[in-house]
Amino acid sequence: MAVCATLTLTACSDDDKEGGQPVIERVRLTDPEKADSAFTVGRLGQMILIEGHNLGHALNIYINNQDCYFNANYNTDTHIIMTIPSDLIVYGQDNTLPMEIRVETTHGTAVYAFHVIAGVPTIDFYKADMEENEQGIPEIQPGQIMELHGSLFHEIQSIYVAGLDTMKLADCPSWEVNDSCTVAYVKMPNVIPANGIMVMECFSGTAYCGFSKSPMKPELYDISSDMPIPGQTITLFGKYLADLTSINIGGEIDIDINTVTVSAEMDKVTFTMPDKLPSTEANGTIRLKTLGGVAELPFYRYDWILEDFDGNGTNQNWNWGTDTRGGWWDAATFTVSPVSGNWLGFENYTGWWDHNVQFNGKQAPKGIDASTPLSDLELRYEVYLPEIPSATCYSKITFMGAEVDKIAIADRITGQATAGEWMSVAIPLTQFGTGTYGDLVGSAPGDDGNFKIYHSYDEIGIWFSIVYDNFRIYQIK
């Protein structure tokens, strides 16, 4: 009896050491106040707490059959704390994956059904090759393939056409998704409204995209430069910028459509500014026309010009400058190409007093309504570097008595400085003051504090040359 008792106690001790068959009872949040927050659907990058018993001495943890890192210091007999990897491949990207958490220990394996999602799907835009109807109007046809472009097209449950009230009109009979789950090739149903909404229902959520049976009307949001130099690359930013029929500047200049580049996402149109500039009698807009309609932005608004060094700026009393160069001042040792008339430049070694020009009694442009909020306005200008300086240099601009320093000499769109190319800079007028345009210009000193161009540097004694042109106010809203 004594021997049997010893054997029994030994067996029990070994079983306790190994822990017994591991079991996962639930997965919950790590917050103790949310201890009842058990769930079976998680998301990438989420910290989770695996709860059960006999979970000690874990060797490996697999989610969707992928080995995941965990810190053994957070592994006890009843809990494992870990983070779902942000780069985990989820079901939907690979439909052969098991949707489960598997914990392998020294004494057994526990499996728990668990569904990981990457996030909610989004539809950014759609594309479709349209055929002309009997009236010669391009239209999406029943049974045609439409491309939906977006992200996280995982576990699609249905795609359908809805009215503008989002009520379902007809199911799309079939679809295919590319490997990156960013494009869905959808077969259109027999019922297609003139204007409607494409709805994609996925396991993780629903995505929507407005569409039109005929080409969508284009939208323009921004332009890389609204007053460019001839030869400067111009980019229009917007939406549904496809099927171009014309681009016109000021009602006077037509851009050759064959020279225009349209992005695959239909959100950018790029062309080169022609040699001819719009006249002062032009309508002050750039007009883009597609099969879907027309969109416009302000362009070469002469009544918004502060100074272009060609006689189109506002009145002033006089000006003076140090190290000033250009077609508007003394001759420069460098060349600028291309140019549009006169320009203002500087060249010299950086020092405590150089590279500056000051305008006395400079008036503000009068083409802006005084009640316009400063948040809707920018001070813009074109800038050119004959060469990149060996240390960082900045523009320092005074407008209507208020100074802004440390202005990067870089293109407003790319954020990069390039030698030998014109770049466009934009400074929000909120950096010069608060309130309205009338508040800012009304409080200006009216003398030599109205408009100045100075510079600041990270290093003294380096060679620095720079060129400016086309200072103007731009209304962004």
Side-chain angles (χ1 to χ4, degrees), residues 278-331:
S279 69
T280 55
E281 291 76 29
N283 62 20
T285 64
I286 185 167
R287 187 174 188 265
L288 178 144
K289 186 177 181 181
T290 72
L291 293 177
V294 174
E296 294 181 334
L297 282 176
F299 194 80
Y300 262 86
R301 285 287 300 265
Y302 286 93
D303 58 336
W304 291 356
I305 295 176
L306 176 65
E307 185 57 63
D308 71 348
F309 313 110
D310 292 311
N312 296 306
T314 60
N315 293 332
Q316 59 175 307
N317 296 332
W318 44 264
N319 55 67
W320 60 265
T322 301
D323 303 327
T324 46
R325 299 288 184 268
W328 193 62
W329 219 289
D330 296 333

Side-chain angles (χ1 to χ4, degrees), residues 247-255 276-285 300 302:
I247 297 177
N248 179 270
I249 295 175
E252 299 176 340
I253 305 167
D254 288 314
I255 303 299
K276 182 182 178 181
L277 296 178
S279 69
T280 55
E281 291 76 29
N283 62 20
T285 64
Y300 262 86
Y302 286 93

Side-chain angles (χ1 to χ4, degrees), residues 308-310 325-329 332 334-336 339-346 422 466-469:
D308 71 348
F309 313 110
D310 292 311
R325 299 288 184 268
W328 193 62
W329 219 289
F334 55 80
T335 58
V336 181
V339 294
S340 59
N342 295 320
W343 44 268
L344 174 66
F346 305 89
W422 285 98
I466 188 169
V467 176
Y468 295 93
D469 205 352

Side-chain angles (χ1 to χ4, degrees), residues 154-464:
H154 302 161
E155 301 183 73
I156 299 175
Q157 298 172 334
S158 68
I159 300 177
Y160 58 88
V161 177
L164 296 178
D165 56 1
T166 69
M167 294 295 293
K168 182 189 291 188
L169 297 179
D171 284 302
C172 296
S174 62
W175 58 84
E176 294 181 2
V177 181
N178 67 347
D179 292 340
S180 60
C181 300
T182 57
V183 182
Y185 304 90
V186 183
K187 185 176 182 179
M188 296 298 289
N190 292 328
V191 179
I192 305 176
N195 296 284
I197 297 174
M198 294 298 300
V199 182
M200 176 189 291
E201 293 183 342
C202 299
F203 174 83
S204 58
T206 303
Y208 304 89
C209 178
F211 83 99
S212 174
K213 188 175 183 179
S214 296
M216 287 284 284
K217 182 179 179 181
E219 301 174 18
L220 288 177
Y221 306 141
D222 197 4
I223 186 169
S224 57
S225 175
D226 62 285
M227 201 171 177
I229 308 299
Q232 195 170 344
T233 299
I234 305 303
T235 302
L236 292 163
F237 300 88
K239 195 173 184 180
Y240 301 119
L241 307 181
D243 302 314
L244 295 183
T245 59
S246 68
I247 297 177
N248 179 270
I249 295 175
E252 299 176 340
I253 305 167
D254 288 314
I255 303 299
D256 183 357
I257 294 300
N258 296 319
T259 65
V260 176
T261 301
V262 180
S263 68
E265 294 78 15
M266 305 181 297
D267 61 348
K268 291 188 286 289
V269 170
T270 303
F271 64 95
T272 300
M273 184 65 188
D275 292 337
K276 182 182 178 181
L277 296 178
S279 69
T280 55
E281 291 76 29
N283 62 20
T285 64
I286 185 167
R287 187 174 188 265
L288 178 144
K289 186 177 181 181
T290 72
L291 293 177
V294 174
E296 294 181 334
L297 282 176
F299 194 80
Y300 262 86
R301 285 287 300 265
Y302 286 93
D303 58 336
W304 291 356
I305 295 176
L306 176 65
E307 185 57 63
D308 71 348
F309 313 110
D310 292 311
N312 296 306
T314 60
N315 293 332
Q316 59 175 307
N317 296 332
W318 44 264
N319 55 67
W320 60 265
T322 301
D323 303 327
T324 46
R325 299 288 184 268
W328 193 62
W329 219 289
D330 296 333
T333 61
F334 55 80
T335 58
V336 181
S337 180
V339 294
S340 59
N342 295 320
W343 44 268
L344 174 66
F346 305 89
E347 62 173 343
N348 207 334
Y349 290 97
T350 58
W352 71 274
W353 179 252
D354 63 358
H355 292 85
N356 57 61
V357 67
Q358 189 160 302
F359 300 81
N360 181 275
K362 188 67 170 173
Q363 301 300 300
K366 299 185 182 303
I368 304 293
D369 190 281
S371 64
T372 306
L374 292 182
S375 57
D376 293 350
L377 301 171
E378 293 176 338
L379 175 66
R380 292 188 178 185
Y381 54 88
E382 306 307 294
V383 66
Y384 182 102
L385 290 173
E387 59 183 277
I388 301 296
S390 60
T392 304
C393 302
Y394 307 92
S395 299
K396 184 192 300 185
I397 306 294
T398 296
F399 176 66
M400 296 298 113
E403 181 182 270
V404 176
D405 195 2
K406 299 292 184 179
I407 303 168
I409 303 171
D411 185 79
R412 61 179 292 265
I413 299 297
T414 66
Q416 301 297 315
T418 306
E421 293 183 8
W422 285 98
M423 300 169 283
S424 188
V425 177
I427 310 170
L429 282 199
T430 51
Q431 293 191 26
F432 293 96
T434 59
T436 67
Y437 184 68
D439 294 334
L440 177 62
V441 302
S443 61
D447 51 25
D448 60 0
N450 274 7
F451 182 40
K452 302 176 185 178
I453 305 171
Y454 279 58
H455 297 87
S456 53
Y457 325 100
D458 281 352
E459 185 177 327
I460 301 301
I462 66 164
W463 184 258
F464 175 43

Side-chain angles (χ1 to χ4, degrees), residues 94 100 142 146 236 412 439 470:
D94 182 349
E100 64 183 21
M146 172 190 282
L236 292 163
R412 61 179 292 265
D439 294 334
N470 296 349

